[in-house]
Amino acid sequence: MNSIVQNQLKAFKESKQNRGCLLVKCPDQPGIVAAISKFLYEYNANIIESSQYSTDPHGGQFFIRIEFECAELKSKEEQIRKEFQTIAEHFSMDWNLTSGYEVKKTAIFVSKELHCLRELLWEWQSGDLLTEIAMVISNHEDSREIVESLNIPFYYIPASKENRAEVEKEQLALLKENNIDLIILARYMQILTPDFVEAHPFRIINIHHSFLPAFIGARPYDRAYKRGVKLIGATSHYVTNDLDEGPIIEQDIMRVDHRDKIEDLKKIGRSIERSVLSRAVKWHLEDRVIVHENKTIVF
């Protein structure tokens, strides 16, 4: 990791040392917000951002994200988690408390197309993607130079259908050894096995080069061209065992017309892919995403 990024992460950790974020999902009922607010007040915590949503106030699901400042949070965090469990059990909450000073560690998987990788690295260098990129793993050598020029470890692991189990065993060992929090598939053109996906539930983000659910699977631009579409798009989603069917985090589109050939669609699409993946990754890193069934709530 280069010194500029190290300084950016250090400054971020210092500015967020007393910042906490609480994500909650539970059956909707009266008193949830009041109970959480009262609990935080008892720790002299100041709520600085709060967003909530209910699928239905009468028997639906309730979601809330609360960001707060709490003096000496590090020393209080264990007690806060322990005591909040009483409220969580009363309201049947699925909840997660994160500390702002804890920077998530990411691993980027990439194949031969490097536009999404370049975007992530640029956002990271500029201080807009606050994460520790612990490694880049690729089944091709194309990205080695750009990755190693930034002092990021690069692992070349050739992958195919024939050696998939062996490759994933090596990849999983690297991820575990480095305590990776998030895996980013930046146009990694390999299908992950169920074992790999199950080892990282809702911690693998993919970019698919179409506006899902249209053109699932391979060669979507070719199929879009043959269909004569007037809009093309990209979709960033969590990876599940159903190909390109995971919960969608972000999407975008651009207009095209009859003059655009397949290569034109690909060029336009690359621009969409870069921005869509970058936004989805940022929102995950900032704890702004709650998964509900096969959908996401993004605050």
Side-chain angles (χ1 to χ4, degrees):
M1 189 187 305
N2 62 43
S3 59
I4 294 176
V5 174
Q6 284 181 329
N7 291 335
Q8 289 170 344
L9 292 178
K10 181 180 178 181
F12 173 79
K13 291 178 181 180
E14 290 176 354
S15 69
K16 301 289 185 179
Q17 60 181 326
N18 291 319
R19 185 70 57 87
C21 182
L22 181 64
L23 289 177
V24 171
K25 174 173 68 173
C26 64
D28 200 357
Q29 58 185 294
I32 300 171
V33 176
I36 296 174
S37 300
K38 182 175 182 294
F39 175 83
L40 292 174
Y41 174 75
E42 290 172 351
Y43 279 90
N44 200 32
N46 183 30
I47 295 173
I48 57 175
E49 183 179 331
S50 179
S51 302
Q52 64 191 64
Y53 168 71
S54 176
T55 60
D56 187 339
H58 305 288
Q61 284 287 311
F62 178 79
F63 309 86
I64 190 167
R65 178 186 186 272
I66 294 180
E67 199 168 331
F68 62 90
E69 283 277 338
C70 181
E72 300 179 357
L73 179 59
K74 285 185 180 180
S75 63
K76 299 176 181 178
E77 188 175 351
E78 185 177 347
Q79 186 67 22
I80 289 174
R81 292 179 185 277
K82 182 179 178 181
E83 303 231 342
F84 189 77
Q85 188 61 37
T86 302
I87 295 175
E89 290 174 359
H90 176 76
F91 289 100
S92 301
M93 291 178 176
D94 181 2
W95 63 285
N96 186 37
L97 175 65
T98 57
S99 304
Y101 57 82
E102 293 181 346
V103 175
K104 293 179 175 63
K105 297 181 70 174
T106 54
I108 302 175
F109 283 45
V110 65
S111 290
K112 297 185 73 172
E113 296 199 43
L114 307 185
H115 53 285
C116 287
L117 171 66
R118 291 180 183 275
E119 181 73 15
L120 293 171
L121 294 178
W122 167 248
E123 294 280 339
W124 178 71
Q125 288 179 275
S126 65
D128 293 324
L129 192 67
L130 290 162
T131 181
E132 180 184 339
I133 301 178
M135 68 184 74
V136 172
I137 295 176
S138 181
N139 57 334
H140 295 277
E141 289 275 14
D142 300 60
S143 58
R144 178 185 290 277
E145 183 177 354
I146 183 176
V147 171
E148 292 186 339
S149 71
L150 297 172
N151 295 319
I152 300 171
F154 177 84
Y155 296 93
Y156 169 55
I157 308 176
S160 65
K161 292 180 181 179
E162 290 71 29
N163 68 347
R164 185 163 293 161
E166 180 182 334
V167 165
E168 289 195 352
K169 183 179 180 180
E170 183 176 354
Q171 292 170 341
L172 287 169
L174 284 169
L175 296 172
K176 183 177 181 180
E177 179 183 340
N178 288 274
N179 298 312
I180 298 300
D181 298 298
L182 176 66
I183 300 163
I184 307 166
L185 306 184
R187 292 301 300 270
Y188 182 63
M189 309 306 288
Q190 295 288 317
I191 297 175
L192 304 177
T193 66
D195 288 342
F196 190 102
V197 174
E198 288 169 9
H200 304 90
F202 305 122
R203 291 192 292 121
I204 309 172
I205 294 180
N206 182 48
I207 182 67
H208 182 69
H209 40 310
S210 80
F211 192 75
L212 294 176
F215 307 121
I216 290 172
R219 306 179 69 84
Y221 291 125
D222 299 64
R223 288 182 285 148
Y225 175 75
K226 291 177 181 178
R227 186 65 181 83
V229 301
K230 305 306 178 189
L231 295 170
I232 61 168
T235 303
S236 192
H237 63 93
Y238 288 114
V239 175
T240 63
N241 288 326
D242 297 317
L243 181 64
D244 297 329
E245 295 280 0
I248 292 171
I249 306 170
E250 174 64 330
Q251 295 180 288
D252 208 346
I253 55 171
M254 289 185 71
R255 182 165 290 280
V256 296
D257 64 27
H258 59 276
R259 299 176 183 85
D260 293 309
K261 306 302 181 185
I262 294 175
E263 286 306 314
D264 298 316
L265 299 187
K266 290 180 179 179
K267 184 177 181 180
I268 296 168
R270 290 186 191 107
S271 177
I272 312 172
E273 293 165 33
R274 294 198 305 265
S275 60
V276 167
L277 179 60
S278 176
R279 289 197 295 271
V281 169
K282 285 181 184 178
W283 293 339
H284 179 97
L285 294 173
E286 294 172 359
D287 298 303
R288 294 189 176 275
V289 186
I290 299 177
V291 176
H292 175 57
E293 297 175 349
N294 202 44
K295 298 180 179 180
T296 61
I297 311 300
V298 182
F299 288 120

